[in-house]
Amino acid sequence: EAAGVPVVGMAEASMKEAARNGRYSIVTGGPAWGPILQRLALALNLSNELVSVRALALPGPQLAARPELISEEVEKARKEGAETVIIGGAALAGLARKLESRVPLIDSVECGARAAARACSPT
């Protein structure tokens, strides 16, 4: 309301897209993000589909340089029952397309951009 234009968050857009595919997990950098993303899932009424938030100790930019760590967490999330995994955070943009995975991966930046484009399109 205050912005006067559509405002779309990467996390919200990604969670909504992932939840349409069933149970999902999030892999991101920075341990502070765990509780934040869990509260957001609850607020969006998407917490029943959320399997886990795997917020690694490394911040996003350092984690981007270690894609093998992300792949390991994606596999752990799959084994926990995630049907889709969000690769969350601006610093991790583009990694979802580069990683091999047995579950679909969602790039939070790309997903947020798609949602913003839809929100700004004339109806």
Side-chain angles (χ1 to χ4, degrees):
E1 291 175 17
V5 296
V7 176
V8 178
M10 295 185 314
E12 179 178 349
S14 299
M15 287 179 179
K16 287 180 177 178
E17 184 173 312
R20 284 194 295 271
N21 295 327
R23 295 173 47 90
Y24 68 99
S25 287
I26 303 168
V27 175
T28 192
W33 281 104
I36 294 167
L37 294 169
Q38 290 170 344
R39 284 193 303 271
L40 179 59
L42 188 61
L44 295 172
N45 201 25
L46 299 173
S47 60
N48 288 339
E49 293 87 356
L50 180 62
V51 175
S52 63
V53 176
R54 307 190 72 78
L56 287 88
L58 294 175
Q62 290 177 10
L63 189 56
R66 305 276 311 274
E68 71 279 2
L69 296 177
I70 298 168
S71 291
E72 290 171 12
E73 296 302 315
V74 167
E75 182 59 16
K76 289 176 186 176
R78 185 194 67 78
K79 288 179 178 177
E80 292 175 334
E83 298 166 287
T84 303
V85 177
I86 298 167
I87 306 301
L92 304 179
L95 283 177
R97 281 182 272 129
K98 296 175 183 176
L99 299 175
E100 290 188 27
S101 174
R102 292 199 255 175
V103 294
L105 302 177
I106 293 176
D107 182 309
S108 66
V109 175
E110 291 177 6
C111 189
R114 284 192 303 273
R118 285 191 302 270
C120 294
S121 295
T123 55

